[in-house]
Amino acid sequence: MQDYEKSVSFLGTWGPFQRRVFFLLCLASIPTGCILLSVIFLLAIPQHHCYIPTHSNLSQDWVQAIIPVQLAGQLERSSCSRYELDIVQNLSALGTRPSLDHIQNLSLFGSGPEVLLSSLKQEGCKDGWTYSTEHYQSTVVTEFNLVCSNQWKQPLTSAVYFLGGLCGCFISGQLSDRFGRKPVLFSAITMLSIFSGAVALASSWPVVIVLFFLLGMGQIASYVILFVLGSEILIGSTRVIYSTLCLPSFYVIGMMMLPGIAYMVTNWRHLSVIMALPCLACVPLWWQIPESPRWLVSHGRLLEAELVLRSAAMENKVEVPRVIFIPAPVGKNLACLSCSRLSINITYFGLSFNMSSLYGNPFLNYFLVASVEVPAYAASWLAARSLPRRPSFISFTLLGALALLLIQITLHSNPALTLSLVLLGKFGVLAGASVLYIYTGELSPTVIRSTAMSSCAAFSRVGSCISPYLLQLGVFYQFLPWIIVGALSLLSILICMFLPETFRQVLPDTIQQLALTRSGLMWPWASSPPPKADEKIDQTTATEIICTTHL
């Protein structure tokens, strides 16, 4: 078959058909963006301390003193221990007073001897915990007490959510390459609406784990297929602006909506129900979004592809050729892309989870970190229009890496500058990730594009699963999480050196066309010229790509 984009050029690039598909696909990405980091609010850990039963009959001094004070950078009350309640009750009944300079607001006058608190034994929170309601009425953590001895369950729940995304990538990629983009897309959106609503009904932590896994499967599958479907239906400059600017920007709009919704709806069950509603509203788009003609052609379903294109031509009011399609007589790249996506995703999600270690309002911090994605996607779009892919990715990612490595200098001394560096780091990393996303699509032929995109996304979800534990590394060295995310960004730059350039080259439709691209270690400014029409195909490379994609 002749070049696909040349065959459909009669439609133009920005007619009513393209505009309709463009905006509907962008709108469908908003629910997936809203759900992406919902675990930050659903699994938030409010400040807490041991619950003191109201029938304990303690004096006011002992009520304030029964929770030990710890010095962890600053004075704070213990979250997981208290002085033994039986002993404190006896001391309170005897009229004694606690003695410790660090206890605030203690009575300075009163009868009875003083008791040195450091001499008292401590015990765990046998009667449960009291949670702060300053930011959250309830979360999964407060509902099922995932603190202290059960604190390991909180990052595990986040990891399982991203593990679901990893599995969703593998499964959705294979299914959409075999059964079509459209059916798998709307199946994933339906999954999001069903399981997001089901989370609100969870009666135990194991049920939450299972539902989060299924929610993660649908979330990433939706976005990957939206990217692939739009990239295959749209052509030329419209495809570039869709994949690098508009689709990610609408995705970010969903992310920016989340902190506002979480601020108003502080109950995690109600928040889960509200997140399901936008997904449900996207289901009727089934009758407005067509199947990818490019995918139909690659599977030999030429009549169905022509039907879609002729319908589009009627909508655009252009003349259709009598015959649209004229018949005619990935391994190393995929590995490099997967490793780069793994490194970038650990950095991206590690940044998001490490926001809890910064000063200030958590909702405002999240909103700022989400909103900086809009200029990042705008910058990546401008770069994708006129600059080669590799130098663009390297420049953006290097900017982000340097900003993140500088955080260790300002973390405690200047909170405002630290937040600025975090935002600059997020800008660079995300702009680089956006370039890498379109780069992946341009290096993947149509016959396996969804599988290749999903395979790379699956590796990136391995990074997502690891990222909730990055914050735990601060126990060994407080700057270690920031050093790791910066170093991983530098690693992705090194890996990018091994990828061929795809700037202003036609999307490959077959594995044989992909085999013509030149790969290997190249400097960022080096580029590969488009292959000549009579250039012989290296069958060994094609075979290598086939084997790798099957793996």
Side-chain angles (χ1 to χ4, degrees), residues 53-379:
T54 54
H55 56 77
S56 301
N57 296 322
L58 300 180
S59 66
Q60 187 61 34
D61 287 345
W62 281 107
V63 167
Q64 295 184 32
I66 192 172
I67 305 299
V69 173
Q70 299 175 334
L71 183 60
Q74 59 182 357
L75 292 177
E76 58 182 28
R77 306 178 81 187
S78 173
S79 300
C80 299
S81 63
R82 68 185 182 188
Y83 295 114
E84 288 191 5
L85 183 59
D86 292 340
I87 296 176
V88 172
Q89 283 178 316
N90 292 334
L91 292 172
S92 178
L94 294 173
T96 61
R97 291 185 297 111
S99 174
L100 182 61
D101 293 338
H102 296 313
I103 297 296
Q104 304 296 320
N105 299 322
L106 285 179
S107 174
L108 298 178
F109 305 99
S111 60
E114 293 185 344
V115 176
L116 188 63
L117 291 176
S118 60
S119 65
L120 301 180
K121 292 183 179 180
Q122 298 184 16
E123 63 182 3
C125 300
K126 297 179 178 179
D127 299 303
W129 291 263
T130 297
Y131 296 94
S132 169
T133 56
E134 179 184 2
H135 298 302
Y136 308 97
Q137 179 185 343
S138 68
T139 67
V140 174
V141 170
T142 64
E143 182 95 7
F144 302 111
N145 292 323
L146 308 184
V147 293
C148 299
S149 61
N150 287 324
Q151 188 175 0
W152 60 272
K153 295 181 180 179
Q154 192 262 359
L156 177 62
T157 308
S158 298
V160 168
Y161 168 74
F162 291 117
L163 183 63
L166 187 153
C167 296
C169 290
F170 279 122
I171 297 172
S172 65
Q174 297 285 343
L175 291 178
S176 62
D177 275 338
R178 175 166 296 188
F179 300 107
R181 317 306 194 205
K182 183 178 174 180
V184 180
L185 169 63
F186 284 93
S187 297
I189 291 175
T190 303
M191 279 183 63
L192 284 179
S193 61
I194 292 174
F195 294 118
S196 182
V199 166
L201 304 176
S203 58
S204 63
W205 177 70
V207 174
V208 170
I209 281 274
V210 173
L211 293 176
F212 270 39
F213 180 85
L214 297 172
L215 198 60
M217 287 184 66
Q219 190 280 326
I220 187 59
S222 301
Y223 185 79
V224 170
I225 300 174
L226 282 168
F227 180 91
V228 172
L229 184 57
S231 298
E232 293 181 349
I233 294 179
L234 305 170
I235 62 174
S237 59
T238 305
R239 182 181 71 226
V240 173
I241 193 173
Y242 168 82
S243 56
T244 60
L245 178 63
C246 291
L247 179 67
S249 295
F250 276 78
Y251 190 70
V252 172
I253 289 173
M255 293 179 63
M256 293 169 64
M257 290 169 55
L258 177 61
I261 296 172
Y263 178 77
M264 294 183 291
V265 183
T266 56
N267 183 294
W268 70 278
R269 294 185 185 273
H270 299 163
L271 180 61
S272 300
V273 172
I274 290 176
M275 289 192 304
L277 298 180
C279 304
L280 197 60
C282 289
V283 174
L285 297 181
W286 169 274
W287 290 275
Q288 296 294 322
I289 296 175
E291 180 58 272
S292 166
R294 197 163 197 149
W295 178 84
L296 291 171
V297 169
S298 69
H299 282 69
R301 296 160 63 173
L302 298 182
L303 291 179
E304 294 178 58
E306 288 199 7
L307 182 62
V308 172
L309 294 174
R310 291 182 185 280
S311 175
M314 291 179 61
E315 189 173 346
N316 285 0
K317 298 180 181 178
V318 296
E319 185 177 350
V320 186
R322 291 183 58 188
V323 179
I324 299 178
F325 300 110
I326 302 175
V330 175
K332 186 187 298 181
N333 293 347
L334 185 62
C336 291
L337 288 167
S338 298
C339 292
S340 295
R341 294 278 294 277
L342 170 65
S343 302
I344 287 292
N345 247 46
I346 293 178
T347 304
Y348 176 87
F349 287 101
L351 267 173
S352 301
F353 282 104
N354 280 348
M355 288 302 295
S356 60
S357 65
L358 299 181
Y359 298 102
N361 186 290
F363 301 103
L364 179 59
N365 287 347
Y366 181 93
F367 178 81
L368 291 174
V369 170
S371 60
V372 79
E373 298 195 10
V374 175
Y377 286 128

